[in-house]
Structure formats: C-alpha cells, structure tokens
Amino acid sequence: MGSVDVSQGALTPNDRRNFGSAPGSNFAEREDFSVPEGEEDEPAIDLRAVWATIFRNRYMMIAIVGVALMLGIASALLMPRKYTAQSSIQIDQQVAKVLGTEDSEPQVAGSDADRFLQTQADVLNSRAIARRVSDSLALSANDDFLKRMTGARQIEIKPGDASLADQVVDVLQRNLTIDLRRNSRVVHIIFTSRDPALAAEIANSYATNFIEGNIQRKFSASSYSRRFLQNQLGLAKTRLEGSERDLIAYARSARLIDASAGARQQEADNAPRSLVTANLIQLNADSATSEANRLRTRARWEQARRAPLMSLPEVQSNEAVQRLSQKRAEDIASLSEVRRRLKPDHPVVIQALAEIATLDQQIRQLAEVTRKSIENQYLTAERQNRALIQQVTALQGATLAEQGRSVRYNILRREVDTNRQLYEGLLQRYKEVSAEAGITTNNVSSVDTAEQPRRPTSPRPLLNVALALIAGLALAMLYAFGRDYLDDSIRDPQDVEQKLHIPLLGVVPDTRGDSPLDALNNPKSEIAEAYHAIRTSIELSSNQGPPRSILVTGSSKSEGKSTTSFALARDFAGLGRRVLLVDADLRRPSLHRTLGITLPEIGLSSVLARMTERGASILPTAFPGLSFLPSGRLPPDPATLFAGTAMQDLLAALEADYDVVIVDGPPVLALADAAQLTAAAQATVFVAEASSAHFGQARNAVSRLLRAGGTVIGCVMTKYNAKKAGFGQSYDYYRYRYDDASK
C-alpha cells in the first residue's frame, strides 16, 4: 500500500491546533458532513435493511410462524362443527290498498329507503323478536336448547346469573345474523347452531314470528289509534260546547247580535258580525247613492235655471208641450192662409190670434211646471242626503261603542271556530280508522324457507391455516421490526455516516472467536487488511499528511480501542515512521498485555505528575520504530492529571520526537478523561463496535468530543460480522473501496 512521506517537523507544536484547517481537509467541515451526491436518491424503503432485519431475527420469526400454524391446525381440529341455516323474507314499503284510505309510506329512494330497511333489520335482531321465537318454540321451558347450542352436558344457573329465559334470548341473539344486502328488499335470516335441524327450525321461526309480529303491530296501532281518537273526540266535543256557551252568554250580556248567522256558507266570512254594523254598512251605501243623486239633480237644476225655458231638454221632450206646439204651428199656418184673404181686423183673424196666444200661454205654463219639477227633485234629493248623513253619523258612534265590546266576542268566536274545525277533523279521521280497523294488510312476505344444512360451515381448515399463517407472519414481522426499532445499535457501516454524521474510516471484521492479535500477525488476514485501509484513510484525511497525535476512543468499554491503537501504531511503524503508542487509560490499562510487558510503576501517570521524565518512562517494543509509553501506576483521580495543559504540553513535546503519537484513551461516557485528551490531541478516531454500540450513546460521545474542542476525523467500526448483521458480503464493498483509495 502506498504512503505519504511526512518529514519530521512538518508541523511545529505551535501549529498543532490548526491541523485539519487547510484546504482539502476532510474533517475540517465535520459539522456540515453530508451524504455524497448521487446517494440522495435512494428509495424510501431500503430493501437491503429490511432483509437484514428479517435475517437477524429469522429464528424467532420462524418460531412465531410455526406456533401460529400449530394453533391454526389445532383450532381446525378442536373447534366444534357448526351448521348455518338461512331463511329469506321480502320487506316492501307499500302494501296494496283495499279502501284507498289506508296509510302507507311514500316511495322514496336513497338513504331514506336504506334507513327504513335497516330499521326493519334492527327489529329482527331485537330481544322482543327473540323472546317471541323462544316462546313459540318453548325453548326456555328447560335447558335442552342450551345444551344443544353449547354442547354442555349440564346447565347450572347460579345465584346472581341471568334467568334461563334471558340466557336463551342471549344465545339466540349471539348466533343470529341478519344479512341486508344493498339495493335489495330481501332480508336473509341466518342462524348458526351445532344441531342442523335446530338451526333450520329457529331460522324459519324468526321469519314467521317477524311476519306475525308485523301484522300484530299494525292491528295494535289501529286499535290504539281508535281509542286515542275516541278520547280526543270527547275532549274536543266538550271544548266546543263550552266555547259555544261562553260565546252566547257574552253576546247576550253585551247585547251583541250576530248578523252573519243567516248568511250563506260562502258569504259567512264577508258578512257583518252585528245589526249595528249591518245597518251602518247599508246606510253608508244608501248615503253614497243619495249623495250621487243629489249631485246629479243639482247639476240638472243649475242647468235648467240658467238656460232659456223652452230650450230645456225636459220641456222639449214633454209630450203635452209637443202637442201644443204642433197645434200652435197648425194655427199659425191657418192664420197665414186667412190673412191672405181677410183683413187684420176681421173677427176670424182676431179669433185665430187669440187661440194662438192661448196656446203660447199653455206652453209656457207647462215649461214652468217642468222646470219647477226639476227644482223639486233637487231639493228632495238634498233633504234625503242630509237625513242619511245624520243617520250614518249616529250609527258610527254606536259602531265604535260596539267594537270595544266585540273584542272579547271575536276571541270567543275564533275559539269556537277552532274547536269546531278540530272536532270535525277528528271525527272524519275516526270514521276512516274505524273503517280500516278490520283490514290487516302486510308488507312482509316469506321468500325462502330454511332447509336443514347438510355440511358444517365452521370450522374451515384451509381458512384457519391461512389466517394463522397470515397472523404468524404479521406477528413475526411486528416482532422483528419492533425489536429493530427499539434496538438502536449501529449494525451497518452506513449508519456511521447517516446517524453520527462523521466519515467512516474503515470496517474491522469479526475474528469469529480467534484472537485479534493472532489475526494481526498474518499480513494477509482480513483484520490486517482492514487496519491497512484505516491507516490509509487517516493519511489521506488531510493534504498535510497524517496527524502528529491521534486519540483513539469510543463511547463505552470493550469496543476494540486498544486493539485499534496497537494496530495503527504498528502499521505506521511498518512504514518507517517513528511511532509512540501511549496508554492513556489510567483506569483500566490493557496495552501492556497486548505488547507482552509487565505494567511498570512509572509511566504516563508519573510523567503527568512530574515525578519522572518522559524519556525514562518510554519503553522499546519488539516492533521496529514503535515505542510504548505505559500508563504507569493507576492514580486515584486520573481526571486531575489530565486537567490543565499538562497533557497538551506532553503531546507537543512528544510530537517533536516522534512522527506519530497514538494515544489509547478511555471511553467517553461517564468519564471526563477522553474530553480532556481530545482537546490535547491533534485528531481523534472514534471506535464503535458493530451491533453493540448504540446510536444514542455514540452520538452523545461524539458530541462531547466536539464540544471539548476535539477534531474527530472519522469512525472505525469493529467486530463487524456481515452475515450476522444480515448484510451478506457487504463488508467486501467497504474493504475494497478503501484498498482502492490507498493505491
């Protein structure tokens, strides 16, 4: 594998805090780590993760499905045989009318029709019908029915239990099914029993009792209606008689006479209510006529008075005047003839002139009489009009006085009219109901009669086994995914980047029971290759070369931190670098056992306590280029030794002497040591054990390291078993990817 040559002194101690900030650094932007482009369009359901979940829980899932199948087979074998019988009835909303006056529900569609049919179905399923069936078949006479339904040899009724009749009704309702299909008026009555003959008998009994009950309800409703109407008629009659007596008594006391009593029925509403009002109406009409006549005669008189006497139309149309005028004309003609023959003083001429003068006088007298007649007509009309006006004025006062007394009268009269209408309506309805009482029309008819079933309907072995298989699969999947949901362990290497948001440096496979140190001694082993890839990833984590000081830590104990520290230190030393391996776990050190060294009294603890020099505490190892600084004597309070700048100063001094300083640190959680060490180290490598490290703990540990000022360059997943995790050969993908990156 290739390597990057980093000269000594490439980073001075003063520049150690700036490591990773140069362009090209992969961990300088750890907070903004995101999924690489091209991986964002993954499907919503990760089939690989689903299969992994099923694979991890396969044994328990197989057990659950097996138990479910056994229960399904046992239920098919042990369940009692049940038989189902079915009868059918048709329910119509209208029935044939005999008299034509019977009440019937109107034909409706949609929800109203469905509501009507559902109501009938509810009646069929009621306890009242169940009791009718029980009584008609004498089911509650003894416990034989319950024995046949339950299969029990003896039925015992204990104190406090329901009575035998109530138990029979309960059993009938539990085993009854009413099937009301959509867009159909046929209702199927289904009854289930262990006895096929009993099932058919009860199904037919339900149909018969429902039809009889429907007829009885109609007859009962008619009888109730007649009794109710009869009582209401008596009350209405009493109220009508009382209101009429009150009206007559008040009319007598108030001296009010109803003038509309003799009017025809169609004129009763418009007829006057009293004699005073009737007289006022009549006289008012006569007064209006008289006023019109007065005005007409006055106009005639004014015309006759101003016009010449002989020009009046009445004078000219008078027959006597016409005769006299004709006679005068004849005399004038004769006089003209005589004057041609006789002299003016002749007696005949004088006589003729005297006759003509007489005729003129008569005509004038007749004309004067005619004009006087016109004047008399006018005067008569005026007198009549004044007399009528006086009478109307007098009646108006009487009417106003009567109106005050008529308020109470009108109230009593309206009450009489209302009571009369109510009485007549009830009487008519009572006659109709009485005529309909003997007619028992029914809207329910039987369609099919239940026959004794020949084959049981329950149990159904194939259905039971299929349902048990489906239920077992559902429970198994629920168990697997529920367990996976509650267990937040980091199993897949992809979880590191997706959940912890830090780069994945590499994956170390599980040794399957072998010692990791033995596997590391084989350069061609998977563990050795994995740590080569991890070391390469660390080298390429920055364009400035590998960090001068690297802290290796994790969230909890026994995750492979010490093995990772040793493997990285040996790998860096194998490249010709001067490497110092520091055991900074001052609570449970283990690197001395890995290197085959007895834990000495002096070490890191004595150096930090300034009891010994660092050079005196560093030990050589069997690996060329690799030195070891043991933990030394375990102090009572390691956090006190790491406090301040002692560790930072020590690492700065060691970085000047060595190319790479790898610090094996304690776990992060519950300890302050790792947080103080990450602040002193140039870079931090986080170790997480596959299927053991929990996401919550690991995320909290990484957050603590970042808040302490550490530079977490990535994560190493250890003890990864792809087959156990359910991901098959997916480990090869990560191994070959990092091998390719190191070339």
Side-chain angles (χ1 to χ4, degrees), residues 79-386:
M79 285 178 61
R81 300 295 183 266
K82 292 185 178 181
Y83 299 86
T84 299
Q86 173 180 300
S87 63
S88 302
I89 58 174
Q90 180 178 344
I91 302 176
D92 297 319
Q93 285 186 273
Q94 282 188 333
V95 296
K97 293 185 178 181
V98 179
L99 298 178
T101 60
E102 296 93 332
D103 290 337
S104 62
E105 297 184 11
Q107 290 287 352
V108 294
S111 60
D112 291 338
D114 294 340
R115 190 180 299 111
F116 169 76
L117 294 175
Q118 185 60 47
T119 301
Q120 300 301 312
D122 293 340
V123 172
L124 259 172
N125 211 9
S126 64
R127 293 184 67 86
I129 297 297
R131 289 188 183 279
R132 289 177 62 93
V133 171
S134 176
D135 295 340
S136 63
L137 299 178
L139 300 180
S140 58
N142 50 54
D143 58 359
D144 182 62
F145 170 73
L146 296 180
K147 291 179 180 179
R148 296 168 68 184
M149 289 296 298
T150 60
R153 295 183 178 181
Q154 186 68 29
I155 302 298
E156 295 182 2
I157 300 179
K158 299 178 180 179
D161 294 345
S163 62
L164 181 62
D166 291 336
Q167 291 186 23
V168 169
V169 171
D170 293 338
V171 171
L172 288 174
Q173 286 190 302
R174 281 199 303 268
N175 293 274
L176 176 68
T177 302
I178 304 300
D179 183 12
L180 176 60
R181 298 178 182 177
R182 191 173 183 85
N183 298 327
S184 175
R185 296 185 181 276
V186 177
V187 179
H188 302 282
I189 304 173
I190 304 170
F191 192 81
T192 303
S193 173
R194 296 188 179 189
D195 188 341
L198 181 62
E201 183 180 13
I202 293 180
N204 291 327
S205 179
Y206 259 99
T208 302
N209 281 278
F210 181 73
I211 294 174
E212 294 176 354
N214 189 60
I215 296 175
Q216 185 176 358
R217 284 195 302 273
K218 290 180 176 292
F219 184 78
S220 299
S222 176
S223 300
Y224 174 79
S225 299
R226 285 188 291 113
R227 290 194 301 271
F228 175 77
L229 289 175
Q230 188 173 6
N231 294 334
Q232 294 299 314
L233 270 175
L235 296 176
K237 182 179 180 181
T238 302
R239 286 196 297 269
L240 177 60
E241 292 174 352
S243 60
E244 287 179 342
R245 284 194 295 269
D246 293 342
L247 178 64
I248 294 174
Y250 180 77
R252 289 177 178 177
S253 63
R255 304 185 64 83
L256 296 175
I257 300 175
D258 188 358
S260 63
R264 290 178 297 178
Q265 182 66 29
Q266 60 270 25
E267 298 176 354
D269 294 337
N270 298 325
R273 293 299 184 183
S274 67
L275 289 177
V276 176
T277 304
N279 292 336
L280 177 61
I281 293 173
Q282 184 63 40
L283 287 177
N284 189 56
D286 295 342
S287 176
T289 303
S290 175
E291 178 65 19
N293 185 41
R294 185 186 71 81
L295 294 175
R296 186 172 59 254
T297 55
R298 179 180 177 181
R300 289 177 59 194
W301 164 241
E302 292 293 337
Q303 182 181 5
R305 188 178 63 179
R306 295 187 179 89
L309 184 62
M310 297 308 297
S311 64
L312 295 176
E314 290 81 358
V315 174
Q316 293 179 359
S317 62
N318 194 319
E319 293 181 357
V321 173
Q322 290 177 356
R323 288 194 300 271
L324 291 176
S325 296
Q326 185 177 3
K327 177 71 176 163
R328 181 177 177 278
E330 292 175 354
D331 290 347
I332 291 174
S334 299
L335 178 60
S336 298
E337 185 66 27
V338 171
R339 280 182 174 179
R340 284 196 299 269
R341 290 182 292 105
L342 299 176
K343 293 183 178 181
D345 56 351
H346 191 275
V348 175
V349 174
I350 293 172
Q351 185 180 358
L353 289 173
E355 290 179 356
I356 291 172
T358 302
L359 289 174
D360 288 339
Q361 184 178 2
Q362 291 177 352
I363 290 173
R364 180 173 293 279
Q365 289 177 352
L366 287 175
E368 290 290 344
V369 171
T370 301
R371 186 164 63 181
K372 187 65 175 177
S373 174
I374 294 173
E375 181 181 8
N376 290 336
Q377 289 178 1
Y378 163 66
L379 294 176
T380 301
E382 188 172 10
R383 285 193 299 270
Q384 290 178 351
N385 186 51
R386 283 197 299 270

Side-chain angles (χ1 to χ4, degrees), residues 380-627:
T380 301
E382 188 172 10
R383 285 193 299 270
Q384 290 178 351
N385 186 51
R386 283 197 299 270
L388 287 174
I389 291 175
Q390 291 176 357
Q391 291 181 2
V392 167
T393 303
L395 286 176
Q396 285 179 347
T399 301
L400 292 175
E402 187 183 56
Q403 285 179 351
R405 302 191 305 273
S406 299
V407 174
R408 171 72 176 167
Y409 179 82
N410 292 333
I411 294 174
L412 295 174
R413 185 181 181 86
R414 283 194 299 271
E415 185 176 355
V416 170
D417 294 340
T418 301
N419 291 334
R420 182 178 292 110
Q421 292 175 1
L422 179 60
Y423 176 77
E424 292 174 353
L426 290 173
L427 182 61
Q428 178 64 27
R429 183 57 182 162
Y430 179 76
K431 292 178 180 179
E432 294 175 357
V433 171
S434 298
E436 298 169 4
I439 302 174
T440 56
T441 56
N442 192 18
N443 62 329
V444 182
S445 58
S446 177
V447 177
D448 286 331
T449 302
E451 298 179 356
Q452 181 174 334
R454 293 182 293 273
R455 291 189 300 272
T457 56
S458 175
R460 300 169 62 181
L462 293 180
L463 179 61
N464 286 15
V465 172
L467 292 177
L469 179 60
I470 294 174
L473 290 174
L475 290 175
M477 297 295 287
L478 181 63
Y479 166 79
F481 288 99
R483 180 185 178 189
D484 233 35
Y485 177 78
L486 296 176
D487 184 7
D488 63 345
S489 300
I490 300 177
R491 299 188 181 89
D492 186 11
Q494 289 183 353
D495 293 343
V496 174
E497 296 180 348
Q498 293 176 356
K499 296 182 178 181
L500 299 182
H501 303 292
I502 58 177
L504 178 65
L505 298 177
V507 178
V508 180
D510 190 11
T511 59
R512 298 179 178 85
D514 297 335
S515 172
L517 296 179
D518 295 338
L520 284 174
N521 292 328
N522 182 9
K524 295 183 179 181
S525 65
E526 291 183 350
I527 292 182
E529 291 181 358
Y531 279 114
H532 292 336
I534 294 170
R535 186 262 306 160
T536 303
S537 298
I538 295 175
E539 285 185 326
L540 297 178
S541 61
S542 173
N543 57 4
Q544 299 178 3
R548 301 297 298 276
S549 58
I550 303 172
L551 171 65
V552 179
T553 185
S555 59
S556 60
K557 62 180 181 178
S558 302
E559 289 186 314
K561 297 183 294 298
S562 299
T563 302
T564 300
S565 301
F566 169 73
L568 292 177
R570 196 184 71 166
D571 219 11
F572 275 113
L575 296 178
R577 290 185 173 87
R578 293 177 301 161
V579 181
L580 175 63
L581 180 60
V582 180
D583 192 349
D585 190 351
L586 301 184
R587 301 176 188 270
R588 296 180 62 183
S590 60
L591 280 178
H592 61 282
R593 290 192 294 269
T594 302
L595 295 173
I597 300 173
T598 303
L599 182 62
E601 292 293 327
I602 60 173
L604 178 61
S605 58
S606 59
V607 173
L608 293 177
R610 293 180 173 82
M611 297 173 61
T612 59
E613 295 293 334
R614 64 176 183 275
S617 301
I618 296 175
L619 303 176
T621 64
F623 303 97
L626 177 61
S627 301

